[in-house]
Amino acid sequence: MYTTKEKRLIDKFSKENDLIYPLHSSDYDNPVRKEFITNLLHNETFVPTKDKAEEKYKEPLFKIIRNFDKKDYVFAGLITLLCSGVYYGAFSDYLFNHKDVAEKKQRTAMNLLDLASIVAVAVSSMGLSALSIGSIKQSNQEVAVDKFYKRLSIRLFSEMKKMHPELKEETLKQCNPELARVIYTLLIANMSEKDTQKLWNIANTVSEYRYNKLYKGEIGDLKNRDKALQQAMVIIESHLINNPELARVILDVYRGAVPITFVVKEQNTK
């Protein structure tokens, strides 16, 4: 049984999911969405800015493999044993079976070649399994970080709505998930490298929960994610206070407008 507080947390995440990924019959199922998507497609700075920002903080595959834990190595080892066993089973009639070769030195050389072939299969299997596991972890990480940023856009909307009650959740339902992608592209493109690195580090911590299937269960996972989102919101809100022009552009996006440019000049205020 969940406590009242835990139930509210579950409902909160469920509502955010509905706002991030609303169902659309098509990309142009209503006039607001049609206009938003059309303007976004005609914006020449959106895709390059988004790709550049995401690539900058994307964790390299070699680094993911270098940071494998015991579970990853065990899984890679099992795949290696399986592949080596299949290879040996398929060629068992030929491997180390050279009785028809009369000369002992030649038999020894052929046996060494057989052993080398098994070692080569094992090494290749280990490498391929490491690449496969690393690619899966990298993909999981990218999906989890992307969703974290999109959920941040919903949290930021809720905060801005307190000061601008005219904002409508209906706009999120009509224009998401594209609108959320616009919001986090604006944030990443205009925040300092130090702050964007902090955001990525926070987002990356929750990607591990997703991969490990959460040792604390659903509620433990949600609490960890909620705490991470709160930490990220502090960074974003602090930056928007010092960049009111960016805050204004983001506010316009929540009203359904696509920015002309995604790089907004900072205007520092006391």
Side-chain angles (χ1 to χ4, degrees):
M1 291 291 292
Y2 297 120
T3 65
T4 302
K5 188 176 180 180
E6 290 172 342
K7 184 67 169 61
R8 282 200 300 266
L9 185 62
I10 293 172
D11 292 341
K12 181 179 183 180
F13 271 78
S14 179
K15 181 181 178 180
E16 289 174 349
N17 286 338
D18 292 339
L19 291 174
I20 296 171
Y21 301 108
L23 295 177
H24 301 293
S25 57
S26 72
D27 280 346
Y28 305 111
D29 62 352
N30 63 69
V32 175
R33 180 170 178 77
K34 180 179 179 180
E35 182 179 3
F36 188 86
I37 297 297
T38 301
N39 290 340
L40 191 58
L41 290 173
H42 286 87
N43 187 289
E44 297 180 356
T45 63
F46 171 63
V47 173
T49 304
K50 180 180 72 67
D51 290 347
K52 182 180 179 180
E54 290 178 346
E55 189 65 30
K56 185 176 182 179
Y57 297 102
K58 181 180 179 180
E59 191 168 9
L61 187 58
F62 78 87
K63 186 175 180 180
I64 293 176
I65 294 175
R66 190 176 63 192
N67 293 329
F68 272 4
D69 56 23
K70 290 181 180 179
K71 178 183 62 179
D72 298 318
Y73 283 116
V74 168
F75 191 42
L78 290 175
I79 295 176
T80 300
L81 287 174
L82 177 63
C83 292
S84 300
V86 169
Y87 174 77
Y88 184 81
F91 297 96
S92 58
D93 292 339
Y94 306 100
L95 294 172
F96 308 112
N97 187 15
H98 308 295
K99 295 179 181 179
D100 54 334
V101 179
E103 191 173 344
K104 184 177 180 180
K105 288 184 178 180
Q106 189 175 358
R107 285 202 309 272
T108 301
M110 295 180 73
N111 285 331
L112 288 174
L113 284 174
D114 292 341
L115 179 61
S117 70
I118 294 175
V119 172
V121 169
V123 171
S124 300
S125 300
M126 176 62 79
L128 289 173
S129 61
L131 286 173
S132 299
I133 295 169
S135 297
I136 292 172
K137 294 193 74 169
Q138 187 181 58
S139 177
N140 284 342
Q141 182 187 77
E142 290 172 2
V143 170
V145 169
D146 179 72
K147 190 167 184 178
F148 182 85
Y149 284 139
K150 287 176 180 174
R151 195 177 297 280
L152 268 180
S153 74
I154 304 298
R155 298 284 175 104
L156 183 57
F157 173 86
S158 298
E159 290 303 310
M160 284 191 158
K161 187 173 173 59
K162 294 176 182 177
M163 297 178 288
H164 302 275
E166 76 279 4
L167 293 179
K168 299 177 181 178
E169 286 186 356
E170 187 63 26
T171 305
L172 297 182
K173 294 177 182 178
Q174 292 167 333
C175 300
N176 264 337
E178 292 79 10
L179 186 147
R181 196 169 287 122
V182 169
I183 294 295
Y184 77 67
T185 298
L186 277 168
L187 290 170
I188 295 175
N190 291 281
M191 295 177 69
S192 67
E193 184 170 345
K194 180 181 179 181
D195 284 343
T196 48
Q197 185 64 60
K198 285 180 181 178
L199 283 181
W200 191 90
N201 290 340
I202 293 172
N204 191 34
T205 59
V206 299
S207 72
E208 281 303 305
Y209 296 136
R210 183 183 188 279
Y211 179 72
N212 291 328
K213 291 294 183 183
L214 298 170
Y215 52 89
K216 292 183 180 179
E218 181 187 18
I219 275 296
D221 174 33
L222 294 185
K223 287 179 179 178
N224 282 322
R225 291 173 188 269
D226 193 57
K227 182 179 179 180
L229 286 160
Q230 291 174 24
Q231 293 172 345
M233 280 297 298
V234 171
I235 297 172
I236 291 172
E237 289 175 340
S238 175
H239 189 83
L240 292 181
I241 289 173
N242 292 313
N243 193 342
E245 181 61 18
L246 176 60
R248 184 193 64 77
V249 173
I250 288 176
L251 188 61
D252 286 341
V253 175
Y254 284 133
R255 290 172 175 145
V258 174
I260 297 175
T261 177
F262 280 80
V263 178
V264 182
K265 185 178 179 180
E266 287 192 21
Q267 296 182 359
N268 291 325
T269 60
K270 292 184 181 179

